[in-house]
Amino acid sequence: LGLGQGAPELAFEQMQVIFNAQDPSGRLPDYINDRYAYWAFTKPPVHGWTFAHLRAMTPDAYPAARMAQMLDWLEAQVGAWMSGPRLALLPGYRHGNDAGWDNATCFAEGGPLASPDLATFLILQLDEIASLHLALDQPEQAQDAIQRADALCEALCRDLWDGSRFVARLCQDGRQVQTGQSLLLYLPLLLGKRLPAEMRAKMLDGLLQPDRFLTVHGIATEATDSPLYRANGYWRGPIWAPTTALFVDALIRSDRAETAAEVALRYCAMCNAQGMAENHDALTGRGLHDPAFAWTSATFLRLANSLLP
């Protein structure tokens, strides 16, 4: 996404290098370098959301043959997730590493875990699959993808909504995880108007109320008033680039564009003052761990560009 506007070919190749390693099952490696791919874990299906943004930035960079290739990749990945552990229709993570939120508090009680972010990403991926089918003049296939997305959204709202927020449940017995107050549970805001207005309003209230997730530097990954909040707790407190990019978009999709711009401004100001660290202390802004991280600089470039007049 950081390269999407200025170097669309290179941006596509960054996605392609991962999908070239896709297993026939549809599963992606956790990471890949010039020596080997690591398969013990994978990553969440954020790729449909990403391709949708990349295509919107530079539509001419995505001719029919490229869109057809993306369709194959994305469909296979959806199939891999839907054939794994599930809670009824809802797919589950085997481990927090698969979510990218390795030690988030919602994984403290084990797994496999049906969490609302995974269903959200798959719904968005199916929406992008439908959009690609329409662009390729394949209306029947597009309608099928829309129906699958609708069914998954219905299951998400029925099985993981507790009346005030989304929750995570263990796939084995459906038990609700009671641990912590993770930001991960608010990612269905990415669905925007797919969610009922009352549901969106309650989630925004929980996300934006003072002294919880929203700080002067951005959005913490664990509520700062949670007993499990840790200033240097990896996914139990610090501000991260990927979650910032996701939640800025989620706020825009939830008709809170001004708030999204404010979060982007706070994040960029923090990075400008504290550097492009892997993550940052949510309350002080201090850079933590690796002091020069690519996804931080990429997110900074994307958000800073969005703030330009």
Side-chain angles (χ1 to χ4, degrees):
L1 293 174
L3 295 165
Q5 192 68 50
E9 287 298 317
L10 183 56
F12 178 78
E13 289 168 4
Q14 296 300 299
M15 298 290 279
Q16 187 178 32
V17 73
I18 301 297
F19 278 99
N20 280 351
Q22 189 173 34
D23 186 78
S25 69
R27 182 180 171 90
L28 292 178
D30 183 59
Y31 66 82
I32 184 170
N33 58 29
D34 59 337
R35 297 178 62 191
Y36 65 94
Y38 183 72
W39 291 98
F41 302 107
T42 185
K43 283 292 182 282
V46 298
H47 308 83
W49 174 84
T50 306
F51 274 131
H53 278 287
L54 291 174
R55 289 202 305 129
M57 289 182 205
T58 54
D60 292 344
Y62 294 88
R66 182 165 287 182
M67 289 193 289
Q69 175 64 80
M70 290 157 54
L71 265 175
D72 289 343
W73 289 338
L74 297 178
E75 281 280 19
Q77 188 185 28
V78 170
W81 279 106
M82 296 305 294
S83 63
R86 296 203 317 209
L87 176 66
L89 185 62
L90 294 170
Y93 291 122
R94 290 181 171 87
H95 191 279
N97 288 2
D98 293 324
W101 298 56
D102 308 0
N103 70 328
T105 54
C106 53
F107 293 102
E109 298 179 35
L113 188 74
S115 64
D117 63 308
L118 179 52
T120 295
F121 289 135
L122 288 169
I123 292 164
L124 294 173
Q125 187 137 318
L126 287 165
D127 283 344
E128 174 63 359
I129 287 169
S131 181
L132 289 166
H133 277 303
L134 287 175
L136 294 171
D137 195 25
Q138 298 168 345
E140 291 184 4
Q141 293 94 322
Q143 186 59 36
D144 175 71
I146 291 169
Q147 289 174 351
R148 287 187 285 157
D150 289 346
L152 198 53
C153 191
E154 181 180 350
L156 168 67
C157 294
R158 180 186 64 239
D159 297 338
L160 297 185
W161 178 255
D162 73 352
S164 61
R165 64 167 188 163
F166 283 100
V167 300
R169 297 186 184 277
L170 295 171
C171 292
Q172 182 176 4
D173 56 11
R175 179 170 58 85
Q176 179 179 330
V177 173
Q178 302 292 338
T179 309
Q181 301 173 49
S182 177
L183 178 67
L184 178 147
L185 301 174
Y186 290 83
L187 270 169
L189 284 169
L190 277 168
L191 297 175
K193 290 183 171 57
R194 265 190 173 277
L195 299 178
E198 182 181 358
M199 193 177 287
R200 293 199 313 273
K202 288 183 178 181
M203 291 181 67
L204 287 166
D205 285 345
L207 177 67
L208 300 176
Q209 63 181 265
D211 301 320
R212 297 201 71 238
F213 295 103
L214 187 61
T215 78
V216 295
H217 303 292
I219 303 181
T221 45
E222 177 81 6
T224 59
D225 62 349
S226 165
L228 296 180
Y229 173 84
R230 299 290 181 271
N232 191 7
Y234 218 55
W235 294 95
R236 297 189 177 195
I239 295 170
W240 290 76
T243 55
T244 300
L246 288 164
F247 274 93
V248 166
D249 189 44
L251 288 166
I252 292 170
R253 293 172 183 238
S254 301
D255 294 329
R256 298 296 292 268
E258 290 186 5
T259 308
E262 180 60 30
V263 170
L265 182 61
R266 293 182 190 189
Y267 183 81
C268 289
M270 177 185 67
C271 292
N272 199 42
Q274 300 290 338
M276 305 294 165
E278 180 182 14
N279 54 18
H280 292 80
D281 186 308
L283 297 179
T284 70
R286 181 174 66 90
L288 304 170
H289 304 293
D290 192 322
F293 220 70
W295 67 20
T296 306
S297 53
T299 298
F300 176 89
L301 287 171
R302 176 147 169 78
L303 296 182
N305 185 65
S306 73
L307 294 169
L308 293 173

